[in-house]
DNA sequence: CAGTATCCCCCTAGATACTG
DNA sequence: CAGTATCTAGGGGGATACTG
């Protein structure tokens, strides 16, 4: 980000604008949906997979790792057998709620 | 959309959830940025290209056509030489303002 | 000015199999 | 259960050249 207090009007996006930055965080094919479901509360890997639907294990893992790296999702591993892993939103991830939820509402209101 | 009045909590995304639908509209690599700039007002093709920055003509055209098809952007052609084409948000496109702008803000507040 | 028309690379994402 | 490993195709997107 070049200037954090810059106004949006006449914003020069030539090399990286805020929207571009945001889409890098949630632009992955499944990330929006994953975040959406984590907003319902903490979820285990399997639960998440079931809810997201057609996502493959590989992709779910990959996107979750990226979300984790970006600090939007936290991963909690329980050292038990069988494995137990819980995913939840970080505070930073929570800040996306006003973005994700209007997305959902917007999509519903304009079919 | 399966049920337009369904609550978001416990929403079953198995085959297409609202967030997924929304991301299909604005998920293109440049669409968010294009919409962002059109929110500043009507723009000509060249102006848009300059503002979006590194986008190629081909991609800008392609994404604009998709946005047009999805009913988010309207294209107005003036029958003059040299050509003059103006792009602007449709009412439907305007409904994305509360989604796009928080994106920008969110990206700025959480670097 | 505002586009098409080609060509082509690469990365995303899917399918499948295996494992601590 | 919650992952890795490997292989592969498909198409999204880039570069470049041409045009009404």
């Amino acid at each position: 980000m070049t200037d954090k207090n810059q106004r949006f009007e006449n914003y020069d996006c030539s090399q990286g604008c805020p929207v571009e930055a945001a889409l890098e965080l949630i632009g992955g094919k499944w990330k929006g949906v994953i975040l959406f479901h984590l907003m319902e509360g903490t979820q285990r890997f399997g639960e998440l997979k079931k809810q997201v639907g057609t996502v493959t294990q590989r992709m779910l893992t990959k996107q979750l790792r990226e979300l984790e790296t970006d600090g939007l999702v936290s991963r909690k591993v329980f050292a038990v057998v069988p494995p137990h892993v819980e995913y939840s939103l970080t505070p930073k991830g929570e800040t996306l709620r006003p973005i994700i939820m209007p997305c959902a509402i917007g999509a519903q209101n304009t079919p």
Side-chain angles (χ1 to χ4, degrees), chain A residues 10-26:
Chain A
N10 307 318
Y11 192 101
D12 176 18
C13 270
S14 10
Q15 61 273 41
C17 80
V19 170
E20 218 171 333
L23 279 180
E24 269 172 38
L25 296 184
I26 62 168

Side-chain angles (χ1 to χ4, degrees), chain A residues 33-68:
Chain A
V33 188
I34 292 170
L35 290 171
F36 177 73
H37 283 298
L38 286 179
M39 283 171 190
E40 297 167 8
T42 299
Q43 307 270 346
R44 297 185 58 177
F45 184 86
E47 293 168 344
L48 219 38
K49 174 152 170 38
K50 203 172 301 175
Q51 292 200 69
V52 174
T54 58
V55 69
T56 59
Q57 282 191 345
R58 189 179 106 84
M59 284 315 298
L60 184 54
T61 303
K62 208 164 157 256
Q63 305 263 308
L64 280 169
R65 289 290 184 281
E66 289 180 22
L67 289 169
E68 200 188 350

Side-chain angles (χ1 to χ4, degrees), chain A residues 60-92:
Chain A
L60 184 54
T61 303
K62 208 164 157 256
Q63 305 263 308
L64 280 169
R65 289 290 184 281
E66 289 180 22
L67 289 169
E68 200 188 350
T69 300
D70 291 337
L72 301 178
V73 161
S74 84
R75 180 171 177 264
K76 190 174 178 183
V77 182
F78 296 80
V80 296
V81 178
H84 182 122
V85 180
E86 284 181 359
Y87 292 92
S88 57
L89 290 183
T90 62
K92 184 173 176 182

